[in-house]
Amino acid sequence: MDINPLFRKKPVALIMKDAAGSEKETQMRRNLSVTDLTAFGIAAIVGAGIFSTIGTAASQGGPAVSLLFIFTALACGFSAMSYAEFASSIPISGSAYTYAYASFGELVAWIIGWDLIMEYAVGNIAVAISWSGYFTGLVRGLGIHIPEFLSVDYLSAMRGHAEALKALAGGQTLDQLSFHLQETYLAWLHAPKIGDFRLIADIPALAIVLFISYMVYRGIREAKITSNLLVLLKLVILMVVIGVGSFYVNPGNWSPFAPNGIGGVLKGISGVFFAYIGFDAISTTAEECKNPRRDLPRSMIYALIITTILYVTLALVITGMVSYKNLAVSDPLAYVFHKNHLEAFGDYCAGSRDCHGKCDAGFPGWSAAHLDEYEPRWPVATPFLEIA
């Protein structure tokens, strides 16, 4: 078997020729400025980290998790420089898929292309579930009850029910269980059944993914406007959260700073690195940038700097407001304000959570792959890049 075709490379000249738009369907509108790209990166990075993984990471590493964000940002910065170099040399959509096609050949590009699709799919799942937690918390504060079996995923409900049964058998009451265990236990208990199969689904998470996917399908211009507005709203909210929360910080909660040592801090490294996943998505928009060689490198660095400052500041605030031991929740921002008797502000934080970014990023990579005839040519509108 001749393996050479598996490693056949696509010359950069041919890649650039394709990007020039010899076929009408491959052309994309260049609408994105460095501000749009930076906002795009912030949308993904901040969405995944501050609103979901920061709570779990802080519960394991304590206040010292703030330093972990800095170390991870430095590592991501070196990776961003590599992406920026590639993006400047091959300024078209596709991100790592396109770079691998030019450098290593078809087989490696095919593997990386599917890796990227799965990366954004898994990222979307995590963030959508977190958004669902904030949304249900908001409507609960407004007096609207969404049945637990419609706001929890099947696997979490099954595992949570089993764990809750063990705790109840050990002498605990339902009210003594964590809110997450109560929710999953009731979801499994009250879910309608078809035979032995329980009908459980996280409907809010599904709905937000469908909505964002529709916005991305509409095209880059509409997605850009929506994304920029939501990022602006998100940054304003975070500034307010940090400002208000700083008045409720108890310095005693920062001691011990690293309660579980360096091992505890490093337990959160996967979640923290996941929180920075958005910067690489910027490179997939190369074909839609006004000046990709200049704007892509700048926007990646700008996004990393801005989000790192936000991460570190907010990590210190929430670990100062509440003991790190209580932060293993899906909606840490809302939780810390509820614990400090600011229920209305906690519900405000919950309702302000948004999910946009990685959906946008996944489509440009998919588009690049299907234009190389690895996937069917579906009639998809001009894509934006990334879901967060």
Side-chain angles (χ1 to χ4, degrees):
M1 176 181 176
D2 184 8
I3 65 172
N4 288 335
L6 296 177
F7 298 96
R8 180 177 55 192
K9 301 176 184 178
K10 189 173 184 178
V12 175
L14 180 57
I15 293 176
M16 298 303 295
K17 180 180 178 181
D18 290 344
S22 56
E23 299 180 37
K24 184 177 180 180
E25 67 174 304
T26 66
Q27 294 177 341
M28 295 184 179
R29 291 172 291 180
R30 294 190 177 275
N31 290 314
L32 302 179
S33 65
V34 66
T35 301
D36 298 324
L37 294 169
T38 303
F40 180 49
I42 293 173
I45 299 173
V46 173
I50 283 186
F51 291 108
S52 55
T53 62
I54 193 171
T56 303
S59 70
Q60 297 170 333
V65 74
S66 57
L67 299 179
L68 185 58
F69 282 113
I70 297 177
F71 300 149
T72 307
L74 291 174
C76 290
F78 290 113
S79 180
M81 292 178 186
S82 299
Y83 269 96
E85 178 67 22
F86 272 118
S88 297
S89 303
I90 312 176
I92 71 163
S93 62
S95 186
Y97 160 78
T98 300
Y99 310 149
Y101 201 171
S103 304
F104 299 106
E106 288 187 11
L107 178 61
V108 175
W110 183 84
I111 294 173
I112 289 179
W114 280 106
D115 283 345
L116 289 173
I117 291 173
M118 289 189 289
E119 170 191 344
Y120 291 117
V122 172
N124 288 346
I125 291 170
V127 179
I129 290 174
S130 178
W131 183 90
S132 176
Y134 279 90
F135 177 77
T136 54
L138 171 65
V139 298
R140 189 184 307 115
L142 297 175
I144 302 172
H145 176 67
I146 298 178
E148 288 80 4
F149 61 85
L150 294 180
S151 59
V152 176
D153 65 276
Y154 186 91
L155 188 59
S156 295
M158 181 176 65
R159 291 175 175 173
H161 178 261
E163 187 175 346
L165 286 179
K166 292 180 181 179
L168 294 174
Q172 289 185 271
T173 64
L174 185 61
D175 291 337
Q176 291 177 321
L177 300 180
S178 67
F179 177 76
H180 174 70
L181 282 183
Q182 291 182 41
E183 186 179 37
T184 53
Y185 174 79
L186 294 174
W188 189 264
L189 192 66
H190 297 150
K193 296 191 292 185
I194 299 179
D196 293 332
F197 182 78
R198 286 174 166 79
L199 301 177
I200 301 175
D202 196 337
I203 300 301
L206 175 63
I208 193 64
V209 169
L210 292 176
F211 173 74
I212 298 301
S213 297
Y214 171 74
M215 290 301 302
V216 174
Y217 177 85
R218 287 291 306 274
I220 185 67
R221 185 171 300 173
E222 292 79 3
K224 178 187 75 172
I225 295 171
T226 303
S227 180
N228 287 350
L229 289 176
L230 290 175
V231 169
L232 179 61
L233 173 63
K234 181 187 296 183
L235 292 178
V236 170
I237 291 167
L238 290 176
M239 292 298 102
V240 173
V241 167
I242 292 171
V244 173
S246 62
F247 290 100
Y248 292 85
V249 167
N250 175 12
N253 288 329
W254 289 335
S255 181
F257 191 68
N260 299 316
I262 188 65
V265 175
L266 293 179
K267 283 183 179 179
I269 196 167
S270 60
V272 171
F273 188 80
F274 168 75
Y276 280 101
I277 202 171
F279 76 87
D280 66 298
I282 297 175
S283 64
T284 61
T285 59
E287 226 170 311
E288 296 154 295
C289 303
K290 293 179 180 178
N291 189 338
R293 297 182 187 277
R294 180 196 65 189
D295 294 345
L296 286 175
R298 291 183 180 182
S299 59
M300 288 183 191
I301 300 302
Y302 293 162
L304 279 175
I305 292 174
I306 293 171
T307 52
T308 299
I309 293 173
L310 287 173
Y311 276 145
V312 172
T313 306
L314 195 61
L316 290 173
V317 169
I318 68 170
T319 53
M321 294 177 67
V322 174
S323 172
Y324 71 93
K325 300 176 182 178
N326 301 321
L327 289 174
V329 294
S330 63
D331 52 352
L333 292 189
Y335 174 78
V336 297
F337 283 101
H338 277 277
K339 289 289 287 184
N340 283 274
H341 308 293
L342 296 172
E343 285 80 5
F345 197 78
D347 292 337
Y348 169 72
C349 292
S352 303
R353 172 71 168 89
D354 61 273
C355 174
H356 60 88
K358 287 186 182 70
C359 258
D360 303 346
F363 280 127
W366 179 281
S367 176
H370 99 261
L371 288 175
D372 283 325
E373 299 182 349
Y374 287 160
E375 301 299 337
R377 292 174 178 265
W378 293 348
V380 179
T382 305
F384 194 18
L385 229 342
E386 201 242 336
I387 251 192

